[in-house]
């Protein structure tokens, strides 16, 4: 009977071992961003103050990033900013300490992780782009920015061309208006000259019709010279 209880207790411990190994206590060594993925290129979701206690839920085997819990929030922090207590001393969390500290090695999936923790975040709307990796996301965003800049340049060039065409049309219209004003002014001057010439001609004709008697030489015996 005693052996039976020992076996049951051992089985219970084996069943509890994975649950116990699901988290390890750690401490942040600086004011560090907790991010939505294991890279500094993922969006920051919180700032963990230096010296704060965190729960280490798991770490990646290929890069030194860990999935941590801080005040009920979840995110990723680089192991170089996380320490844990090991053999009565604090050590920076690294692959050599995962097993002794009971930290499981895990994988990261944007789809699963973000579905679980970030549905209410703004960046969740672009989950499909982020799921291909931050490098792809930023490359795609850079391409979109370049396309937008090119479109803006094209619109600016079209506006400049329209402005230049409009300025050209305005100059042509001003030139035609100036010519028309010049033509009207010349026509007015010509009509004025003609009118003045007509008046002068009338005056000359009037003088011819009414000559001054003093302009004639009077001859002796001419009856018109008697006055």
């Amino acid at each position: 009977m005693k052996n039976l209880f020992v076996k049951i207790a051992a089985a219970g411990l084996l069943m509890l071992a994975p649950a116990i190994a699901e988290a390890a206590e750690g401490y942040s060594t600086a004011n560090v961003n907790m991010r939505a993925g294991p890279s500094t290129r993922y969006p920051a979701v919180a700032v963990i103050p230096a010296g704060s206690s965190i729960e280490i839920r798991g770490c990646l085997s290929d890069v030194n990033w860990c999935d941590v819990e801080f005040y009920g929030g979840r995110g990723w922090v680089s192991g170089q900013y996380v320490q844990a207590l090991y053999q009565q001393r604090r050590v920076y969390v690294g692959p050599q300490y995962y097993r002794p500290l009971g930290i499981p090695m895990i994988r990261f999936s944007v789809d699963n992780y973000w579905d679980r923790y970030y549905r209410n975040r703004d960046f969740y709307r672009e989950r499909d782009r982020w799921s291909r990796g931050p490098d792809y996301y930023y490359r795609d965003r850079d391409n979109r920015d370049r396309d937008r800049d090119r479109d803006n340049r094209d619109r600016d060039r079209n506006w400049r061309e329209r402005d230049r065409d409009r300025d050209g049309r305005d100059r042509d219209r001003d030139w035609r208006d100036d010519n028309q004003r010049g033509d009207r002014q010349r026509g007015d001057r010509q009509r004025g000259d003609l009118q003045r010439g007509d008046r002068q001609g009338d005056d000359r004709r009037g003088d011819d019709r009414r000559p001054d008697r003093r302009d004639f030489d009077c001859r002796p015996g001419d009856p018109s010279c008697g006055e």
Side-chain angles (χ1 to χ4, degrees), residues 11 20 46 48 52 77 86 89 103 121 130 133 146 155 181 201 208 210 213 227:
I20 295 174
I48 303 176
S52 298
V77 176
Y86 176 68
R89 62 188 178 93
I103 299 173
R121 298 280 185 160
W130 282 107
R146 282 194 294 271
R155 282 195 295 270
R181 283 195 295 271
D208 292 341
R210 294 185 301 275
R213 290 180 179 178
E227 296 181 1

Side-chain angles (χ1 to χ4, degrees), residues 11-143:
L13 290 174
L14 289 174
M15 292 178 65
L16 290 174
I20 295 174
E22 284 182 356
E25 186 177 4
Y27 306 88
S28 63
T29 61
N31 295 333
V32 61
N33 285 318
M34 184 168 69
R35 297 186 175 274
S39 169
T40 57
R41 307 195 77 180
Y42 282 103
V45 296
V47 176
I48 303 176
S52 298
S53 176
I54 58 177
E55 292 291 325
I56 305 171
R57 296 294 181 179
C59 297
L60 300 178
S61 59
D62 51 346
V63 291
N64 190 18
W65 279 80
C66 296
D67 175 20
V68 304
E69 182 176 350
F70 176 69
Y71 276 97
R74 290 288 289 271
W76 291 80
V77 176
S78 172
Q80 63 181 333
Y81 298 106
V82 177
Q83 287 183 335
L85 190 62
Y86 176 68
Q87 295 180 351
Q88 305 303 316
R89 62 188 178 93
R90 288 189 177 185
V91 296
Y92 282 97
V93 174
Q96 69 274 26
Y97 294 110
Y98 290 170
R99 185 179 295 276
L101 292 172
I103 299 173
M105 286 187 291
I106 58 176
R107 295 182 179 181
F108 171 70
S109 168
V110 166
D111 293 334
N112 295 333
Y113 198 85
W114 286 22
D115 283 344
R116 191 177 305 167
Y117 302 115
Y118 300 137
R119 284 183 176 273
N120 61 338
R121 298 280 185 160
D122 291 339
F123 55 77
Y124 183 81
R125 293 193 298 260
E126 296 188 284
R127 182 190 58 171
D128 291 340
R129 288 195 177 92
W130 282 107
S131 63
R132 303 180 188 181
D135 292 336
Y136 176 86
Y137 172 81
Y138 280 102
R139 182 172 62 249
D140 183 52
R141 192 181 67 174
D142 291 343
N143 290 334

